[in-house]
Each structure stands twice: as C-alpha cells, then as structure tokens.
Amino acid sequence: MKILALLLLPSLALAAPPSAPRRITSILIPMDSAAEAGGPKMESYMNEALGQFQGYTVSKSEQFLGLPRDGEAEASLKRGQQGYQESLAAFEKKDYEDAERKLRATLKELQAATAAMTASCTPLCDAIALYAAVMHQRGDVEEAKLALLDLLALHPTFELNTKRFNREFIALRLQVATGINAALRGTATVKSRPAGARVFIDNEFQGYTPMTVPTLAVGKHLLRLERPGFRVAGQVLEVSPDDVESSTDLQPTEEYKAFDARMDTVATEVMRADKGASPAVSSLGKALGLERALVGTLRDMKENGATELVLGLYETSSGKRLGVRRVVLQGDEFGQLKSELSRIVNHLMNNSEGGSEKVVKSSDPLDNSHGMDEWNREDRGGKRRAQEKKSKGGDPLDGVNGTEDW
C-alpha cells in the first residue's frame, strides 16, 4: 500500500490545478437608430445561452458599464419616509389639518423617489392611504375616493390597517374598488433615448423601450427604466382612459462614454471579411477584463423590416476571431428570437472548441429545427434525396418528386 502511494506521488504533484472560469460576454453594436432598441434584449438572450457552457463566467453589461441609482431619488425617498412618520403622528393625534399639510409635502417627495422604490410601492402606498383617510375625516369624500383609486392602481391588494382606520373609511375603500372607475383601463406608450431600456411598471418587468403597455388600471403607476451604462430613471405614470405617453432622456455613466468611444473602430473590424486579428476587440476585451467575447453589429434592413446580425467570437488576449456568423433575423413576433440566438451562440462556441452544434433534448419533435433548414436541405444538389433513394427499396417511385422529372 505504501509503495502504491509512493508511486502515485509524482503524478499527483504534476497534476495541474483546475483552471479558473474564463470571463465572457456579448456585445452588440447598433449601426443605426432603428437597430438600437433590440441590442440589450438580444445581449441578454445571448448571455443566457453562454451561461450554459462550463468553464465560463458570464459578465453582464451592468457589471462593466454600471447601472447607478438615482442619488436625488434616494434622497427624496429618505425625506419622504421621514415625512410619512411625521404625518402618521399628526393623524394619530387627530390633528388632521396638520396631517394633510405634511402629507402633501410627503407625497411630492415620494413621487420624485420613484427610481429608488425598486422592491415595492412602500412608503408611497402607505402615504396615499393615509392621505385618503385624512381627507375622509375632513369631509372631502370625493378627494378621498380619488386617492383610493390611485392606491388601487398601484397596489390592488393593499390591505388597510383596521386598527388605524375606522370602519367607514374601510367601507369607502370597498365601494371604490367595486365602482365603475376602478374597472377603467388605459394604455401607456413608454419611450427612452437611447432605446432598449428595461421597462418596469409597479416593479414588474414589461419589456424594452419603445413599447406600449395595454390594459393598465386608471390611476397612478410606478414607472422605472433601467439600461446598463445609464442612471436608473423613474417617474409616476398617470394613466387615464385616453392613451398616455412617457419619453425619458437617460443619463450616461462615465464608463459608458468611454465604452461608446471605442465602438466605431470595433464595428469596422467586426464587419471585415478577412480572418485577421482585431486589435480594437482585443483592446476592448482587456479593458473590460474579458478572456472571450461575442461581438457583433446590428443593422436595420429597411426594405423588409428584418435585422442583420454579424456576430464573431473572439479571443480577446490576441484579438483572434474564432468564428463568425451573418444572419438575418425576422423579429420576435412569435417568440422565436431567443431560440435563434441560442442556436447561433451554440454554433460559434462549440465550433471554437472543435465540436459540433449543441442539441438540447426536448420532448417537442420540432425543437432544434428551423423551417428554413428543411427547405435548404432540399436545395443541396439533390444529395439528400439521392441518399433516400439508396436507403429505401420497394416502391420504385419512393423519393421521386414530380417537379424533378419536369
């Protein structure tokens, strides 16, 4: 036994430690304003596909471009929280006039703090409920109803504190909830400059700008926009039965400005037909702390509404291009974009390792197949059909297509 252990010692000493995961990410460069909106969404799909490969750590764009919180919104949130506590103290003392004055100032602060309320509508919902109760106590029932309508839009299941509010006010809330106004819906169109920002309404992800959000309850809603490389933006969206529109100019970070200054040179090298190394991609990858990167360009094809993607896989230490694909994407009307991008990523990654395209097992017989693939197989010089003829016997007409005879 001791002899065996001594024999194994040299091999154990020479065994290399496991290599650290290589950092990788996806970077897409829009070549026109129309292609700008799709970039962040497609990058997220591609990074998700990269996450399936062992030996890699996927760096998300917010990690190297930044996604800073709004400092002014954070400050407004703190002032609003303090104001709410003071308003609550006045309400419990039954000094409703003072409570109303404090609540009006508090609500103004909290509406400016939308970008900082990333988990829930607290304390805005609490302040609106308290304001409605104060107006009810002061005899302004209509104002109380309007406030309750805003509360229901923000948080339909918000529960009133039965120890704090009286039965009449709680009954009024039920009356508003079952009234005709609570059933009204509106549509909001959300835009940003640049496009491609993630849209959150009442802290629920909706999609990417520009987009239209249908069937929103009439009243107040929290709108938050997030795009890596830009400061988080937010506002209170006032939805009415008429369509409303929100347009926001996003504020870039210093990291994004430095990143954006490199993009023209990187795009030029990515679109080159030759297989030479890309110094710009190498420099960018080193600056971002990456070992590999999927770097591509997006161009809107105005003639047919499609998007051209030129995507290369690069070794950033040398700038060497390990593979490239050029594809035309026909949008995402049926949710096909994610699977198409996943296939492209799998092809580039597996080919770079000397393998073949990764096939994911699924019970769906149509998974991993594309309608155009089937048409393309029929156009490969009749090879597939000839193989079928050789493999089949019996009926002499098996595998024969009438159009071929003509």
Side-chain angles (χ1 to χ4, degrees):
M1 192 69 182
K2 291 181 180 179
I3 296 174
L4 179 60
L6 290 172
L7 291 173
L8 289 175
L9 279 175
S11 60
L12 291 173
L14 294 173
S19 58
R22 289 180 288 182
R23 286 164 293 182
I24 190 170
T25 195
S26 303
I27 299 172
L28 295 179
I29 307 165
M31 304 306 293
D32 50 68
S33 57
E36 186 177 58
K41 178 181 180 180
M42 293 169 64
E43 285 176 353
S44 69
Y45 287 161
M46 291 162 61
N47 282 339
E48 186 176 339
L50 287 173
Q52 304 301 314
F53 288 88
Q54 294 182 351
Y56 292 91
T57 297
V58 180
S59 296
K60 296 183 179 179
S61 51
E62 49 260 46
Q63 293 176 253
F64 50 82
L65 294 179
L67 186 63
R69 303 283 287 271
D70 187 335
E72 294 178 4
E74 296 281 355
S76 290
L77 180 60
K78 291 181 179 179
R79 291 192 294 267
Q81 290 170 333
Q82 179 64 31
Y84 171 72
Q85 293 300 325
E86 294 174 359
S87 303
L88 181 59
F91 177 80
E92 290 175 344
K93 292 178 183 178
K94 298 186 179 180
D95 188 349
Y96 301 124
E97 183 178 353
D98 186 42
E100 180 187 347
R101 179 177 58 82
K102 286 182 166 64
L103 278 167
R104 288 185 182 276
T106 297
L107 289 170
K108 186 176 181 180
E109 289 285 2
L110 292 176
Q111 291 191 42
T114 305
M117 288 185 276
T118 57
S120 69
C121 64
T122 302
L124 179 58
C125 286
D126 298 292
I128 292 175
L130 189 61
Y131 175 74
V134 167
M135 300 313 295
H136 183 254
Q137 289 289 349
R138 302 202 70 191
D140 193 342
V141 178
E142 292 305 313
E143 181 70 11
K145 286 182 178 180
L146 290 174
L148 286 171
L149 194 63
D150 286 336
L151 179 63
L152 289 168
L154 275 168
H155 195 330
T157 60
F158 185 87
E159 294 186 8
L160 297 175
N161 189 331
T162 55
K163 294 182 179 179
R164 179 177 299 159
F165 303 119
N166 59 37
R167 293 180 180 179
E168 290 78 11
F169 178 66
I170 292 175
L172 181 65
R173 189 259 189 200
L174 180 60
Q175 178 186 338
V176 172
T178 55
I180 188 171
N181 288 333
L184 295 176
R185 295 292 182 268
T187 297
T189 299
V190 184
K191 301 178 181 179
S192 70
R193 289 181 294 270
R198 295 190 291 258
V199 178
F200 295 85
I201 292 185
D202 300 331
N203 292 312
E204 291 189 4
F205 176 70
Q206 302 291 330
Y208 296 82
T209 58
M211 69 171 304
T212 298
V213 186
T215 62
L216 288 171
V218 166
K220 288 182 171 60
H221 293 272
L222 300 180
L223 170 63
R224 188 173 78 255
L225 301 178
E226 294 181 357
R227 196 183 200 277
F230 295 83
R231 190 175 67 186
V232 176
Q235 69 178 85
V236 172
L237 194 63
E238 296 275 358
V239 175
S240 68
D242 298 323
D243 293 346
V244 297
E245 182 175 309
S246 168
S247 184
T248 305
D249 289 321
L250 302 177
Q251 302 301 312
T253 63
E254 293 302 319
E255 294 89 344
Y256 179 82
K257 292 177 182 178
F259 172 83
D260 190 53
R262 300 171 178 264
M263 290 302 99
D264 287 344
T265 306
V266 172
T268 301
E269 294 185 3
V270 168
M271 291 187 295
R272 286 188 322 196
D274 64 87
K275 296 182 180 181
S278 170
V281 172
S282 177
S283 175
L284 176 65
K286 292 174 182 177
L288 300 181
L290 302 169
E291 279 77 43
R292 281 191 174 185
L294 284 168
V295 185
T297 59
L298 291 173
R299 183 177 67 86
D300 180 58
M301 304 177 70
K302 296 180 180 180
E303 59 274 15
N304 57 13
T307 301
E308 179 194 61
L309 168 65
V310 178
L311 184 66
L313 175 62
Y314 292 86
E315 193 77 56
T316 56
S317 60
S318 61
K320 179 182 179 182
R321 189 169 70 185
L322 305 175
V324 65
R325 289 289 299 272
R326 178 193 175 277
V327 294
V328 175
L329 303 169
Q330 300 293 336
D332 197 25
E333 184 179 358
F334 304 105
Q336 75 276 17
L337 181 61
K338 184 175 182 179
S339 62
E340 288 182 7
L341 291 173
S342 179
R343 285 174 61 86
I344 295 168
V345 170
N346 287 344
H347 174 85
L348 289 171
M349 291 294 291
N350 282 300
N351 282 2
S352 73
E353 302 292 343
S356 57
E357 188 169 354
K358 179 181 175 182
V359 178
V360 179
K361 294 182 179 180
S362 169
S363 59
D364 188 345
L366 296 181
D367 271 357
N368 303 304
S369 69
H370 189 287
M372 293 301 295
D373 293 344
E374 300 305 320
W375 284 101
N376 291 339
R377 289 186 190 121
E378 294 295 328
D379 295 332
R380 295 172 184 169
K383 291 180 181 178
R384 178 171 177 262
R385 195 171 294 110
Q387 291 172 354
E388 289 178 352
K389 290 179 181 179
K390 291 179 180 179
S391 62
K392 294 181 181 180
D395 191 340
L397 295 180
D398 270 352
V400 176
N401 189 322
T403 57
E404 286 181 337
D405 296 337
W406 284 102

